[in-house]
Amino acid sequence: LGLICHEAGHLRFSDFKYVTKRLTPLERAIDNALEDTRIEMGMGRLYPGAERLFEKAHASSVKDIASWTKFDEQKLLPLFLLAVSSEKLLRRKWLTPLTDKLRAHMCRAFGSELTDKLAALALEVKDAADTAAVVSIRKRIMQLLRRAAANDQYAYSKTRKARDKEAQGLKEKEGSASADGKYSSESGTTTSDAQSGEGMNLSATPLQRLLKPGSEKIENPLDLSKDFEQLQSSQCVSGLKVDFSGRLR
């Protein structure tokens, strides 16, 4: 019933013209996460009993995600945005332990300052009147991420240059490495690697992994639409009527 209520919310409140092939998988996942919170807020205002249905629909996924110890960056961000916005704006205390866990993973991956800025943008869904407003928030999130990634890459490059300089100094001092690329146990790289830039992946930071191009859809485990699409005809009840106080008739 929670799945049906969620999909009814999309039909009632979402403008599907913003779902285009031009979006990257990450952009689409962020849009969907924020829109999910917005449409469930709308359904909750129209039908107060809807929140009980949403809680039951989310229960198994929330329990499952709570046991996870690792998160792919591209899956972590939309999941965090959906969790933090729906927990705060819909007052879902049952989501608090999961939101706190996701926040901890976000802080480890991207830092507390960026995590707090992303959470603040997600909470702006409260005043989003339509899907266009959600898209506007997503664009600001992407701008924030790209700026942070550029700064992150700059800092990483400076650190790398410092390490290369230190490694070169050790080479000259100890004569333990040669210009043909002998391994240096002090630097953990080869001299030729340090000079050519090989041996270090400059796009290996969490932000770079988050923003890497891709074509595969990013699944959000809290997305009820995903569960709705997987319903089998044998699970449907013909002729069932539901009112949104949560009663069947």
Side-chain angles (χ1 to χ4, degrees):
L1 298 180
L3 305 183
I4 296 171
C5 186
H6 180 86
E7 290 309 300
H10 277 303
L11 291 172
R12 182 155 193 161
F13 297 111
S14 293
D15 188 340
F16 293 99
K17 74 180 181 183
Y18 292 99
V19 182
T20 70
K21 293 182 179 180
R22 290 177 295 177
L23 297 177
T24 67
L26 180 61
E27 290 172 332
R28 192 174 294 112
I30 292 172
D31 278 353
N32 193 55
L34 300 177
E35 184 74 348
D36 276 1
T37 295
R38 189 183 76 84
I39 63 103
E40 289 189 3
M41 288 173 59
M43 292 299 281
R45 285 191 293 267
L46 288 175
Y47 310 106
E51 181 57 27
R52 295 199 301 274
L53 303 180
F54 291 142
E55 181 177 357
K56 290 181 180 179
H58 281 296
S60 61
S61 294
V62 170
K63 183 179 180 180
D64 181 46
I65 301 167
S67 66
W68 294 4
T69 57
K70 294 182 180 179
F71 294 87
D72 172 84
E73 287 89 357
Q74 290 194 333
K75 183 172 289 188
L76 173 61
L77 176 62
L79 178 57
F80 172 71
L81 295 175
L82 176 52
V84 73
S85 58
S86 58
E87 185 230 345
K88 299 297 184 184
L89 300 179
L90 290 161
R91 299 189 178 102
R92 292 177 171 172
K93 293 183 179 179
W94 48 272
L95 260 181
T96 300
L98 177 59
T99 303
D100 290 345
K101 177 177 182 174
L102 295 172
R103 183 184 293 276
H105 280 274
M106 286 285 295
C107 289
R108 282 195 293 270
F110 309 117
S112 58
E113 182 179 355
L114 180 57
T115 296
D116 289 343
K117 289 180 179 179
L118 291 167
L121 283 169
L123 296 182
E124 291 189 17
V125 171
K126 178 181 180 180
D127 300 316
D130 50 29
T131 306
V134 166
V135 170
S136 178
I137 295 171
R138 181 257 297 163
K139 289 179 178 179
R140 291 165 59 201
I141 287 174
M142 294 303 298
Q143 290 172 355
L144 175 63
L145 291 172
R146 292 188 181 107
R147 286 197 301 267
N151 293 336
D152 195 38
Q153 186 69 16
Y154 176 70
Y156 186 86
S157 297
K158 286 183 66 178
T159 301
R160 175 179 174 269
K161 289 177 181 178
R163 288 186 61 191
D164 288 350
K165 185 175 182 180
E166 180 183 2
Q168 184 65 22
L170 288 169
K171 169 186 171 292
E172 294 172 354
K173 182 178 179 180
E174 301 175 5
S176 61
S178 60
D180 62 358
K182 186 183 294 182
Y183 182 80
S184 167
S185 61
E186 295 291 339
S187 66
T189 65
T190 64
T191 304
S192 59
D193 283 348
Q195 290 172 342
S196 67
E198 299 174 354
M200 281 192 178
N201 185 355
L202 291 182
S203 60
T205 65
L207 275 169
Q208 291 293 328
R209 290 195 294 269
L210 172 67
L211 295 172
K212 70 180 179 182
S215 58
E216 293 185 7
K217 180 180 179 180
I218 298 173
E219 297 285 356
N220 191 325
L222 280 182
D223 179 11
L224 293 182
S225 295
K226 165 182 59 67
D227 297 330
F228 182 81
E229 291 169 359
Q230 295 172 356
L231 282 177
Q232 304 297 316
S233 58
S234 60
Q235 296 174 277
C236 300
V237 181
S238 178
L240 179 67
K241 294 183 179 181
V242 183
D243 69 34
F244 286 97
S245 66
R247 293 175 298 189
L248 305 179
R249 53 189 176 88

